[in-house]
Amino acid sequence: MQQLHKSTTDLVEGSSPSSITQYYTALSACMGALALGTVMGYSSPAGPHLLSNSTQEWLQLSQEQYNWFSSSPNLGAAAGGLAGGPIINLLGRRGTIMASVLPCLVGWALIGGGQTFIMLLCGRVLTGICGGLTCVAVPAYIGEFASADVRGSLGPSYDTNTELKVLQQSVEDIHKREASLADLLKPGNVKPFIICLSLLLFSQFSGVTPIIFNMATVFKDSGFAYSEDSGALVVGLVQVVATAGAALIMDRVGRRPLLLMSAALMTLSTGSLGVYFWLRMTEGRVWTAEWLGWLPLSSLILLLAAFSLGLGPVPWLMMGEVLPYEVKEAGGSVVTMLSRMAAFTITLIYLPLQEALGEHGVFWLFSGVCLLTLAFTLLVVPETRGKTLQEIREDFRSTSTIISLNICASRITNPHQATRGGAVNQALEHTV
Protein backbone atom coordinates (compact mmCIF):
# COMPACT_ATOMS: atom_id res chain seq x y z
CA MET A 1 0.00 0.00 0.00
CA GLN A 2 2.92 2.34 0.53
CA GLN A 3 3.58 2.31 -3.20
CA LEU A 4 0.21 3.96 -3.81
CA HIS A 5 1.64 7.22 -2.46
CA LYS A 6 4.82 7.07 -4.53
CA SER A 7 5.20 8.91 -7.79
CA THR A 8 6.02 7.16 -11.06
CA THR A 9 9.50 8.62 -10.76
CA ASP A 10 10.10 7.02 -7.36
CA LEU A 11 8.97 3.62 -8.60
CA VAL A 12 10.99 3.36 -11.80
CA GLU A 13 13.98 5.69 -11.41
CA GLY A 14 17.28 4.01 -12.17
CA SER A 15 15.76 1.37 -14.43
CA SER A 16 14.73 1.12 -18.07
CA PRO A 17 11.37 -0.63 -18.34
CA SER A 18 11.09 -3.22 -21.07
CA SER A 19 8.47 -3.14 -23.79
CA ILE A 20 6.61 -6.00 -22.09
CA THR A 21 6.42 -4.04 -18.83
CA GLN A 22 5.05 -0.98 -20.63
CA TYR A 23 2.47 -2.98 -22.59
CA TYR A 24 1.27 -4.78 -19.47
CA THR A 25 1.09 -1.58 -17.44
CA ALA A 26 -0.80 0.33 -20.14
CA LEU A 27 -3.18 -2.58 -20.77
CA SER A 28 -3.98 -2.84 -17.06
CA ALA A 29 -4.59 0.91 -16.77
CA CYS A 30 -6.80 0.98 -19.87
CA MET A 31 -9.23 -1.57 -18.46
CA GLY A 32 -11.00 1.49 -17.11
CA ALA A 33 -11.63 2.62 -20.69
CA LEU A 34 -13.16 -0.79 -21.45
CA ALA A 35 -15.43 -0.44 -18.42
CA LEU A 36 -16.48 3.04 -19.55
CA GLY A 37 -17.21 1.68 -23.03
CA THR A 38 -19.62 -0.91 -21.63
CA VAL A 39 -21.38 1.84 -19.67
CA MET A 40 -21.75 4.04 -22.75
CA GLY A 41 -22.94 1.25 -25.01
CA TYR A 42 -25.40 -0.34 -22.58
CA SER A 43 -28.25 2.10 -23.13
CA SER A 44 -28.36 1.40 -26.87
CA PRO A 45 -29.63 -2.22 -26.69
CA ALA A 46 -31.32 -1.85 -23.29
CA GLY A 47 -33.23 1.36 -24.03
CA PRO A 48 -35.73 0.05 -26.62
CA HIS A 49 -36.61 -2.90 -24.35
CA LEU A 50 -37.20 -0.63 -21.38
CA LEU A 51 -39.30 1.76 -23.46
CA SER A 52 -41.42 -1.01 -24.99
CA ASN A 53 -42.05 -2.70 -21.62
CA SER A 54 -40.78 -6.08 -22.83
CA THR A 55 -39.28 -6.76 -19.37
CA GLN A 56 -41.40 -6.16 -16.26
CA GLU A 57 -44.15 -3.64 -15.74
CA TRP A 58 -42.28 -1.71 -13.06
CA LEU A 59 -39.27 -1.25 -15.38
CA GLN A 60 -41.14 0.54 -18.13
CA LEU A 61 -39.55 3.93 -18.78
CA SER A 62 -41.08 7.04 -20.24
CA GLN A 63 -39.20 8.92 -22.95
CA GLU A 64 -38.05 11.54 -20.45
CA GLN A 65 -36.85 8.84 -18.04
CA TYR A 66 -34.96 7.15 -20.88
CA ASN A 67 -33.23 10.45 -21.71
CA TRP A 68 -31.96 10.56 -18.13
CA PHE A 69 -31.11 6.85 -18.17
CA SER A 70 -28.93 7.24 -21.25
CA SER A 71 -27.22 10.50 -20.21
CA SER A 72 -26.79 10.02 -16.43
CA PRO A 73 -23.38 8.23 -16.62
CA ASN A 74 -21.93 11.49 -17.91
CA LEU A 75 -23.24 13.24 -14.80
CA GLY A 76 -21.43 10.68 -12.66
CA ALA A 77 -18.32 11.03 -14.80
CA ALA A 78 -18.35 14.79 -14.23
CA ALA A 79 -18.43 14.21 -10.47
CA GLY A 80 -15.69 11.58 -10.77
CA GLY A 81 -13.57 13.91 -12.85
CA LEU A 82 -13.94 16.74 -10.33
CA ALA A 83 -12.97 14.43 -7.47
CA GLY A 84 -10.19 12.82 -9.48
CA GLY A 85 -7.57 15.51 -8.79
CA PRO A 86 -7.76 15.40 -4.98
CA ILE A 87 -8.00 11.61 -5.01
CA ILE A 88 -4.89 11.39 -7.22
CA ASN A 89 -3.03 13.55 -4.71
CA LEU A 90 -4.20 11.24 -1.92
CA LEU A 91 -3.82 7.79 -3.52
CA GLY A 92 -1.60 8.40 -6.52
CA ARG A 93 -2.37 7.51 -10.15
CA ARG A 94 -2.28 3.75 -9.64
CA GLY A 95 -4.27 3.90 -6.41
CA THR A 96 -6.98 6.03 -8.05
CA ILE A 97 -7.33 3.56 -10.91
CA MET A 98 -7.72 0.71 -8.43
CA ALA A 99 -10.20 2.67 -6.29
CA SER A 100 -12.41 3.34 -9.33
CA VAL A 101 -13.33 -0.36 -9.44
CA LEU A 102 -15.60 -0.06 -6.38
CA PRO A 103 -18.25 2.35 -7.79
CA CYS A 104 -18.18 0.36 -11.03
CA LEU A 105 -19.02 -2.92 -9.29
CA VAL A 106 -21.70 -1.36 -7.08
CA GLY A 107 -23.22 0.45 -10.06
CA TRP A 108 -23.52 -2.65 -12.23
CA ALA A 109 -25.00 -4.57 -9.27
CA LEU A 110 -27.73 -1.92 -8.96
CA ILE A 111 -28.42 -2.04 -12.70
CA GLY A 112 -28.48 -5.84 -12.82
CA GLY A 113 -30.81 -6.11 -9.84
CA GLY A 114 -32.72 -2.92 -10.53
CA GLN A 115 -36.47 -3.01 -10.05
CA THR A 116 -37.17 0.73 -10.15
CA PHE A 117 -36.06 3.66 -12.26
CA ILE A 118 -34.22 5.16 -9.27
CA MET A 119 -32.10 2.01 -8.86
CA LEU A 120 -31.21 2.08 -12.56
CA LEU A 121 -30.36 5.78 -12.38
CA CYS A 122 -28.14 5.36 -9.29
CA GLY A 123 -26.36 2.44 -10.95
CA ARG A 124 -25.71 4.45 -14.10
CA VAL A 125 -24.35 7.41 -12.11
CA LEU A 126 -22.02 5.18 -10.07
CA THR A 127 -20.61 3.51 -13.17
CA GLY A 128 -20.11 6.99 -14.61
CA ILE A 129 -18.10 7.99 -11.52
CA CYS A 130 -15.73 5.12 -12.32
CA GLY A 131 -15.32 6.48 -15.84
CA GLY A 132 -14.64 10.01 -14.58
CA LEU A 133 -11.93 8.84 -12.18
CA THR A 134 -10.16 6.81 -14.85
CA CYS A 135 -10.39 9.65 -17.38
CA VAL A 136 -8.29 11.77 -15.02
CA ALA A 137 -5.88 9.13 -13.72
CA VAL A 138 -5.12 7.00 -16.78
CA PRO A 139 -3.91 9.75 -19.22
CA ALA A 140 -1.66 11.21 -16.50
CA TYR A 141 -0.35 7.75 -15.57
CA ILE A 142 0.45 6.65 -19.11
CA GLY A 143 1.76 10.08 -20.12
CA GLU A 144 4.35 9.93 -17.34
CA PHE A 145 5.71 6.39 -17.58
CA ALA A 146 5.79 6.16 -21.40
CA SER A 147 8.69 7.44 -23.49
CA ALA A 148 8.49 10.41 -25.82
CA ASP A 149 8.88 8.44 -29.04
CA VAL A 150 6.34 5.71 -28.27
CA ARG A 151 3.87 7.42 -25.95
CA GLY A 152 0.99 6.89 -28.35
CA SER A 153 1.43 3.16 -28.94
CA LEU A 154 3.92 2.04 -26.24
CA GLY A 155 6.33 0.43 -28.66
CA PRO A 156 10.10 -0.22 -28.27
CA SER A 157 12.10 0.04 -25.06
CA TYR A 158 13.90 3.26 -24.14
CA ASP A 159 16.24 4.94 -21.70
CA THR A 160 14.16 6.90 -19.19
CA ASN A 161 16.91 8.23 -16.93
CA THR A 162 17.17 11.76 -18.38
CA GLU A 163 13.44 12.47 -18.47
CA LEU A 164 12.88 10.90 -15.07
CA LYS A 165 15.49 13.14 -13.46
CA VAL A 166 13.76 16.21 -14.88
CA LEU A 167 10.40 14.86 -13.74
CA GLN A 168 11.70 14.12 -10.26
CA GLN A 169 13.00 17.69 -9.90
CA SER A 170 9.59 19.00 -10.96
CA VAL A 171 7.87 16.78 -8.40
CA GLU A 172 10.18 17.96 -5.63
CA ASP A 173 9.48 21.59 -6.52
CA ILE A 174 5.72 20.99 -6.61
CA HIS A 175 5.67 19.26 -3.23
CA LYS A 176 6.92 22.52 -1.71
CA ARG A 177 3.61 24.14 -2.61
CA GLU A 178 0.19 22.88 -3.70
CA ALA A 179 -1.10 23.95 -7.10
CA SER A 180 -4.46 25.73 -7.26
CA LEU A 181 -6.98 26.35 -10.01
CA ALA A 182 -5.52 29.85 -10.37
CA ASP A 183 -2.28 28.26 -11.58
CA LEU A 184 -4.14 27.11 -14.71
CA LEU A 185 -4.32 30.74 -15.84
CA LYS A 186 -0.60 31.39 -15.60
CA PRO A 187 1.40 31.86 -18.83
CA GLY A 188 2.71 28.50 -19.95
CA ASN A 189 -0.30 26.72 -18.39
CA VAL A 190 -3.32 28.45 -19.87
CA LYS A 191 -2.73 27.50 -23.52
CA PRO A 192 -2.30 23.74 -22.94
CA PHE A 193 -5.33 23.86 -20.63
CA ILE A 194 -7.44 25.57 -23.31
CA ILE A 195 -6.24 23.11 -25.96
CA CYS A 196 -7.15 20.08 -23.83
CA LEU A 197 -10.52 21.50 -22.84
CA SER A 198 -11.42 22.60 -26.37
CA LEU A 199 -10.54 19.28 -27.98
CA LEU A 200 -12.60 17.32 -25.48
CA LEU A 201 -15.58 19.69 -25.78
CA PHE A 202 -15.41 19.40 -29.56
CA SER A 203 -15.25 15.63 -29.12
CA GLN A 204 -18.45 15.58 -27.08
CA PHE A 205 -20.41 18.05 -29.22
CA SER A 206 -19.43 16.23 -32.42
CA GLY A 207 -22.42 13.98 -31.75
CA VAL A 208 -20.60 10.69 -31.26
CA THR A 209 -21.57 10.33 -27.59
CA PRO A 210 -25.36 10.64 -28.04
CA ILE A 211 -25.18 8.48 -31.17
CA ILE A 212 -23.41 5.70 -29.24
CA PHE A 213 -25.91 5.98 -26.39
CA ASN A 214 -28.83 5.84 -28.87
CA MET A 215 -27.35 3.64 -31.61
CA ALA A 216 -30.34 1.31 -31.85
CA THR A 217 -32.71 4.27 -32.04
CA VAL A 218 -30.66 5.86 -34.83
CA PHE A 219 -30.80 2.65 -36.88
CA LYS A 220 -34.54 2.31 -36.26
CA ASP A 221 -35.23 5.90 -37.34
CA SER A 222 -33.13 5.48 -40.49
CA GLY A 223 -35.20 2.52 -41.70
CA PHE A 224 -32.21 0.17 -41.54
CA ALA A 225 -33.04 -3.05 -43.43
CA TYR A 226 -31.56 -5.39 -40.81
CA SER A 227 -31.94 -5.55 -37.03
CA GLU A 228 -30.72 -2.58 -35.04
CA ASP A 229 -28.55 -4.82 -32.86
CA SER A 230 -26.68 -6.25 -35.86
CA GLY A 231 -25.95 -2.77 -37.16
CA ALA A 232 -24.68 -1.63 -33.75
CA LEU A 233 -22.49 -4.75 -33.55
CA VAL A 234 -20.88 -4.02 -36.91
CA VAL A 235 -20.22 -0.40 -35.96
CA GLY A 236 -18.77 -1.49 -32.59
CA LEU A 237 -16.38 -3.96 -34.23
CA VAL A 238 -15.19 -1.30 -36.65
CA GLN A 239 -14.61 1.06 -33.73
CA VAL A 240 -12.45 -1.52 -31.92
CA VAL A 241 -10.36 -2.15 -35.04
CA ALA A 242 -9.96 1.60 -35.68
CA THR A 243 -8.87 2.24 -32.09
CA ALA A 244 -6.26 -0.51 -32.34
CA GLY A 245 -5.07 0.96 -35.63
CA ALA A 246 -4.75 4.40 -34.05
CA ALA A 247 -2.53 2.98 -31.30
CA LEU A 248 -0.25 1.42 -33.92
CA ILE A 249 0.18 4.50 -36.11
CA MET A 250 -0.09 7.38 -33.63
CA ASP A 251 3.66 7.64 -33.02
CA ARG A 252 4.43 7.24 -36.72
CA VAL A 253 1.89 9.66 -38.14
CA GLY A 254 1.60 12.15 -35.28
CA ARG A 255 -1.24 13.65 -33.27
CA ARG A 256 -2.14 16.59 -35.52
CA PRO A 257 -2.53 14.59 -38.76
CA LEU A 258 -4.79 12.08 -37.00
CA LEU A 259 -6.93 14.87 -35.54
CA LEU A 260 -7.18 16.62 -38.91
CA MET A 261 -8.10 13.43 -40.75
CA SER A 262 -10.57 12.46 -38.04
CA ALA A 263 -12.33 15.84 -38.05
CA ALA A 264 -12.53 15.92 -41.86
CA LEU A 265 -14.02 12.42 -42.13
CA MET A 266 -16.46 13.10 -39.29
CA THR A 267 -17.61 16.28 -41.04
CA LEU A 268 -18.28 14.22 -44.17
CA SER A 269 -20.05 11.36 -42.40
CA THR A 270 -22.36 13.48 -40.23
CA GLY A 271 -23.12 15.70 -43.21
CA SER A 272 -24.05 12.65 -45.32
CA LEU A 273 -26.35 11.38 -42.55
CA GLY A 274 -28.06 14.77 -42.57
CA VAL A 275 -28.52 14.53 -46.34
CA TYR A 276 -29.97 11.02 -45.99
CA PHE A 277 -32.58 12.05 -43.41
CA TRP A 278 -33.43 15.17 -45.44
CA LEU A 279 -34.01 13.08 -48.58
CA ARG A 280 -36.00 10.58 -46.53
CA MET A 281 -38.26 13.45 -45.44
CA THR A 282 -38.61 15.02 -48.90
CA GLU A 283 -38.48 11.99 -51.23
CA GLY A 284 -40.13 9.43 -48.98
CA ARG A 285 -39.06 6.33 -47.07
CA VAL A 286 -39.48 3.92 -49.99
CA TRP A 287 -37.21 5.86 -52.34
CA THR A 288 -34.44 6.35 -49.80
CA ALA A 289 -34.60 2.70 -48.66
CA GLU A 290 -34.30 1.55 -52.29
CA TRP A 291 -31.55 3.88 -53.47
CA LEU A 292 -29.74 4.94 -50.29
CA GLY A 293 -30.38 2.09 -47.87
CA TRP A 294 -26.63 1.53 -47.61
CA LEU A 295 -25.86 5.10 -46.52
CA PRO A 296 -26.81 5.08 -42.80
CA LEU A 297 -24.64 2.09 -41.89
CA SER A 298 -21.76 3.28 -44.10
CA SER A 299 -21.87 6.78 -42.62
CA LEU A 300 -22.00 5.51 -39.04
CA ILE A 301 -19.09 3.15 -39.70
CA LEU A 302 -17.08 6.04 -41.16
CA LEU A 303 -18.07 8.33 -38.28
CA LEU A 304 -17.09 5.90 -35.51
CA ALA A 305 -13.92 4.77 -37.31
CA ALA A 306 -12.79 8.36 -37.83
CA PHE A 307 -13.60 9.23 -34.21
CA SER A 308 -11.64 6.22 -32.94
CA LEU A 309 -8.63 7.14 -35.09
CA GLY A 310 -8.31 10.70 -33.85
CA LEU A 311 -10.85 12.74 -31.92
CA GLY A 312 -11.59 9.87 -29.53
CA PRO A 313 -8.14 8.85 -28.17
CA VAL A 314 -5.87 11.78 -29.08
CA PRO A 315 -7.38 14.48 -26.78
CA TRP A 316 -7.03 12.20 -23.75
CA LEU A 317 -3.47 11.32 -24.73
CA MET A 318 -2.59 14.98 -25.21
CA MET A 319 -4.05 15.82 -21.81
CA GLY A 320 -1.40 13.57 -20.30
CA GLU A 321 1.27 15.17 -22.49
CA VAL A 322 0.67 18.91 -22.64
CA LEU A 323 -0.68 19.73 -19.16
CA PRO A 324 2.32 20.74 -17.01
CA TYR A 325 2.99 18.43 -14.10
CA GLU A 326 2.21 21.02 -11.42
CA VAL A 327 -1.36 21.53 -12.72
CA LYS A 328 -2.01 18.05 -14.05
CA GLU A 329 -4.33 17.06 -11.20
CA ALA A 330 -6.27 20.34 -11.11
CA GLY A 331 -6.34 20.74 -14.89
CA GLY A 332 -7.25 17.11 -15.51
CA SER A 333 -10.11 17.31 -13.02
CA VAL A 334 -11.58 20.50 -14.50
CA VAL A 335 -11.22 19.28 -18.09
CA THR A 336 -12.77 15.90 -17.31
CA MET A 337 -15.65 17.44 -15.35
CA LEU A 338 -16.52 19.95 -18.09
CA SER A 339 -16.13 17.31 -20.79
CA ARG A 340 -18.51 14.90 -19.06
CA MET A 341 -20.98 17.72 -18.31
CA ALA A 342 -20.95 18.49 -22.03
CA ALA A 343 -21.55 14.80 -22.79
CA PHE A 344 -24.40 14.72 -20.26
CA THR A 345 -26.00 17.83 -21.77
CA ILE A 346 -25.80 16.75 -25.41
CA THR A 347 -27.05 13.23 -24.63
CA LEU A 348 -29.93 14.53 -22.51
CA ILE A 349 -31.14 16.98 -25.17
CA TYR A 350 -30.36 14.78 -28.20
CA LEU A 351 -33.91 13.47 -28.73
CA PRO A 352 -35.59 16.82 -27.94
CA LEU A 353 -33.11 18.43 -30.32
CA GLN A 354 -34.24 16.01 -33.02
CA GLU A 355 -37.82 17.12 -32.55
CA ALA A 356 -36.84 20.79 -32.74
CA LEU A 357 -34.41 20.70 -35.70
CA GLY A 358 -35.44 17.50 -37.41
CA GLU A 359 -33.20 14.45 -37.76
CA HIS A 360 -31.36 16.04 -40.68
CA GLY A 361 -30.84 19.31 -38.81
CA VAL A 362 -29.21 17.59 -35.83
CA PHE A 363 -26.65 15.80 -37.99
CA TRP A 364 -25.88 18.98 -39.92
CA LEU A 365 -25.32 20.71 -36.57
CA PHE A 366 -22.85 17.96 -35.60
CA SER A 367 -21.17 18.35 -38.99
CA GLY A 368 -20.66 22.06 -38.30
CA VAL A 369 -19.01 21.26 -34.95
CA CYS A 370 -16.66 18.81 -36.68
CA LEU A 371 -15.75 21.51 -39.19
CA LEU A 372 -14.91 23.89 -36.34
CA THR A 373 -12.76 21.13 -34.83
CA LEU A 374 -10.85 20.88 -38.09
CA ALA A 375 -10.16 24.62 -38.12
CA PHE A 376 -9.16 24.69 -34.43
CA THR A 377 -6.72 21.81 -34.88
CA LEU A 378 -5.20 23.39 -37.96
CA LEU A 379 -4.68 26.78 -36.31
CA VAL A 380 -4.00 26.04 -32.62
CA VAL A 381 -3.07 22.43 -31.77
CA PRO A 382 0.69 21.70 -31.76
CA GLU A 383 2.40 18.43 -32.63
CA THR A 384 3.82 16.54 -29.64
CA ARG A 385 5.06 13.38 -31.35
CA GLY A 386 8.60 12.42 -30.35
CA LYS A 387 8.94 15.16 -27.71
CA THR A 388 9.67 14.64 -24.04
CA LEU A 389 7.31 16.11 -21.47
CA GLN A 390 9.94 18.72 -20.62
CA GLU A 391 10.34 19.72 -24.29
CA ILE A 392 6.57 20.12 -24.64
CA ARG A 393 6.51 22.28 -21.53
CA GLU A 394 9.36 24.46 -22.79
CA ASP A 395 7.54 24.94 -26.12
CA PHE A 396 4.51 26.39 -24.34
CA ARG A 397 6.71 28.52 -22.09
CA SER A 398 8.54 29.88 -25.14
CA THR A 399 5.23 30.77 -26.76
CA SER A 400 4.03 32.62 -23.67
CA THR A 401 7.37 34.45 -23.45
CA ILE A 402 7.10 35.64 -27.05
CA ILE A 403 3.54 36.86 -26.47
CA SER A 404 4.59 38.71 -23.32
CA LEU A 405 7.53 40.35 -25.10
CA ASN A 406 5.26 41.43 -27.96
CA ILE A 407 2.93 43.04 -25.43
CA CYS A 408 5.96 44.67 -23.84
CA ALA A 409 7.11 46.07 -27.20
CA SER A 410 3.67 47.47 -27.99
CA ARG A 411 3.57 49.25 -24.65
CA ILE A 412 7.06 50.67 -25.15
CA THR A 413 6.01 52.21 -28.46
CA ASN A 414 2.98 53.80 -26.80
CA PRO A 415 4.17 56.15 -24.02
CA HIS A 416 0.57 56.92 -22.96
CA GLN A 417 0.06 53.33 -21.74
CA ALA A 418 3.24 52.52 -19.85
CA THR A 419 6.81 53.58 -19.35
CA ARG A 420 9.63 51.52 -20.82
CA GLY A 421 10.79 50.19 -17.47
CA GLY A 422 7.28 49.38 -16.26
CA ALA A 423 6.42 47.50 -19.43
CA VAL A 424 9.61 45.47 -19.31
CA ASN A 425 9.14 44.60 -15.67
CA GLN A 426 5.53 43.55 -16.20
CA ALA A 427 6.45 41.37 -19.16
CA LEU A 428 9.21 39.71 -17.18
CA GLU A 429 6.83 39.05 -14.30
CA HIS A 430 4.47 37.22 -16.65
CA THR A 431 7.22 35.06 -18.12
CA VAL A 432 8.77 33.88 -14.86
Side-chain angles (χ1 to χ4, degrees):
M1 291 296 294
Q2 292 179 349
Q3 286 186 340
L4 295 180
H5 300 280
K6 291 184 178 181
S7 68
T8 306
T9 305
D10 297 328
L11 292 174
V12 301
E13 185 178 18
S15 63
S16 297
S18 66
S19 297
I20 298 298
T21 302
Q22 294 179 75
Y23 277 117
Y24 175 76
T25 304
L27 180 63
S28 301
C30 288
M31 287 296 101
L34 178 62
L36 180 59
T38 61
V39 174
M40 293 178 63
Y42 178 72
S43 62
S44 175
H49 293 287
L50 293 171
L51 286 169
S52 64
N53 191 24
S54 60
T55 53
Q56 293 91 5
E57 183 178 353
W58 56 83
L59 278 179
Q60 183 178 11
L61 302 184
S62 66
Q63 186 62 62
E64 183 179 357
Q65 287 175 326
Y66 173 71
N67 292 343
W68 279 92
F69 174 79
S70 62
S71 60
S72 56
N74 295 302
L75 201 58
L82 186 62
I87 294 176
I88 282 178
N89 285 330
L90 179 65
L91 301 178
R93 277 80 163 136
R94 178 172 173 267
T96 302
I97 295 171
M98 295 172 63
S100 69
V101 174
L102 181 60
C104 185
L105 292 177
V106 175
W108 278 115
L110 285 174
I111 294 172
Q115 298 184 5
T116 65
F117 169 66
I118 295 299
M119 291 182 69
L120 293 178
L121 193 63
C122 290
R124 295 282 283 171
V125 171
L126 283 172
T127 53
I129 290 175
C130 166
L133 289 173
T134 56
C135 284
V136 176
V138 172
Y141 186 55
I142 294 179
E144 289 165 11
F145 78 72
S147 67
D149 56 332
V150 294
R151 197 176 293 120
S153 59
L154 301 178
S157 59
Y158 62 97
D159 182 6
T160 61
N161 291 333
T162 301
E163 190 166 358
L164 284 176
K165 288 178 181 178
V166 175
L167 183 59
Q168 184 181 34
Q169 183 61 47
S170 298
V171 174
E172 292 173 354
D173 293 340
I174 293 161
H175 283 170
K176 297 177 182 178
R177 67 173 184 88
E178 292 187 2
S180 64
L181 293 178
D183 291 327
L184 293 173
L185 303 180
K186 289 185 176 180
N189 294 342
V190 64
K191 184 176 180 180
F193 171 70
I194 291 175
I195 288 174
C196 292
L197 179 60
S198 299
L199 286 176
L200 283 168
L201 290 181
F202 281 133
S203 174
Q204 300 301 342
F205 287 116
S206 68
V208 169
T209 299
I211 288 172
I212 291 176
F213 276 83
N214 299 277
M215 184 73 71
T217 303
V218 173
F219 277 119
K220 182 179 179 180
D221 292 342
S222 67
F224 186 57
Y226 303 96
S227 70
E228 294 88 355
D229 291 340
S230 62
L233 179 62
V234 171
V235 172
L237 289 174
V238 171
Q239 190 175 9
V240 170
V241 173
T243 303
L248 293 175
I249 66 174
M250 193 172 294
D251 284 315
R252 295 176 175 83
V253 177
R255 282 59 160 160
R256 263 174 58 91
L258 285 178
L259 283 173
L260 291 170
M261 180 178 65
S262 175
L265 292 176
M266 289 174 67
T267 302
L268 176 64
S269 58
T270 49
S272 64
L273 279 169
V275 170
Y276 172 84
F277 281 108
W278 181 73
L279 289 174
R280 191 165 184 259
M281 180 183 66
T282 57
E283 301 296 333
R285 296 171 180 258
V286 176
W287 185 88
T288 50
E290 180 180 357
W291 294 99
L292 297 174
W294 53 271
L295 188 57
L297 179 60
S298 302
S299 297
L300 285 172
I301 287 176
L302 180 61
L303 174 65
L304 270 295
F307 178 80
S308 301
L309 279 173
L311 201 54
V314 173
W316 294 106
L317 173 66
M318 293 193 70
M319 188 171 75
E321 290 181 325
V322 304
L323 281 180
Y325 195 93
E326 64 268 20
V327 296
K328 191 158 291 186
E329 289 84 2
S333 293
V334 173
V335 168
T336 300
M337 181 197 68
L338 293 177
S339 170
R340 302 324 301 183
M341 285 300 297
F344 167 74
T345 302
I346 193 63
T347 306
L348 182 64
I349 68 173
Y350 172 69
L351 294 178
L353 205 59
Q354 273 191 332
E355 296 179 3
L357 301 179
E359 293 168 329
H360 61 285
V362 170
F363 284 107
W364 283 341
L365 176 63
F366 293 153
S367 183
V369 173
C370 294
L371 190 60
L372 286 176
T373 307
L374 180 66
F376 178 82
T377 302
L378 190 64
L379 298 175
V380 179
V381 178
E383 180 58 72
T384 60
R385 178 173 66 97
K387 295 182 179 180
T388 66
L389 300 182
Q390 186 65 17
E391 288 171 342
I392 295 171
R393 183 177 182 178
E394 291 300 325
D395 287 344
F396 283 114
R397 281 184 170 180
S398 299
T399 302
S400 65
T401 301
I402 293 173
I403 293 174
S404 297
L405 291 177
N406 287 337
I407 294 174
C408 168
S410 65
R411 289 177 176 176
I412 291 173
T413 57
N414 190 342
H416 297 289
Q417 293 184 5
T419 64
R420 179 182 180 91
V424 172
N425 290 335
Q426 189 171 4
L428 290 177
E429 288 174 0
H430 282 291
T431 57
V432 171

